Amino acid sequence: MNVPAQIVAPGTPTDAKGLMTAASATRPVIFLEHKFLYRRLKEEVPEGDVTVPIGKAKLARHGGDVSIITYAAMLQVALEAAETAAREGIAVEVLDLRTLLPLDEEAVWPPRRRPAR
């Protein structure tokens, strides 16, 4: 991808605050926010400075059978799907990219990734 900026896409309000803080120290940054974060998703956001490192994915749910790699508003959909699958005995791992550029390749690509599906 030939983009002269970093691209971030938070999936939670806390990540939005932390990535915005990190983005203010690094320029240029394209900040993608889905309105889903403002309308439907509610959570307590920590007071004070919160910094989420740009370029680091977060394991949102542990699992060993299947992996879902997602970002932004689809994180919540993936977590709901993982919960539904768990009721059927399927352990779903959910990885939230948080940053699209630079991509956390170490978190995404094998051999580090456990599930092979």
Side-chain angles (χ1 to χ4, degrees), residues 18-31:
L19 287 168
M20 185 63 76
T21 302
S24 68
T26 312
R27 301 240 160 88
V29 175
I30 299 171
F31 201 91

Side-chain angles (χ1 to χ4, degrees), residues 2-114:
N2 190 12
V3 178
Q6 297 174 353
I7 303 172
V8 299
T12 67
T14 301
D15 281 350
K17 180 179 181 177
L19 287 168
M20 185 63 76
T21 302
S24 68
T26 312
R27 301 240 160 88
V29 175
I30 299 171
F31 201 91
L32 304 176
E33 285 185 295
H34 195 282
K35 67 180 179 181
F36 176 83
L37 288 174
Y38 299 114
R39 306 227 190 278
R40 185 170 161 220
L41 191 59
K42 305 281 187 214
E43 75 175 25
E44 288 292 321
V45 177
E47 294 284 331
D49 287 338
V50 175
T51 303
V52 172
I54 293 177
K56 294 300 285 178
K58 174 179 74 174
L59 189 60
R61 182 184 173 106
H62 294 277
D65 295 328
V66 179
S67 292
I68 298 175
I69 301 172
T70 187
Y71 65 93
M74 289 297 103
L75 171 63
Q76 304 308 316
V77 175
L79 290 171
E80 289 172 11
E83 188 62 37
T84 301
R87 288 193 289 272
E88 308 231 351
I90 302 168
V92 179
E93 176 181 87
V94 178
L95 181 69
D96 179 14
L97 293 176
R98 300 194 295 191
T99 303
L100 304 177
L101 190 65
L103 181 64
D104 187 357
E105 293 181 18
E106 200 172 290
V108 174
W109 304 119
R112 193 159 171 250
R113 308 280 307 145
R114 289 203 171 236

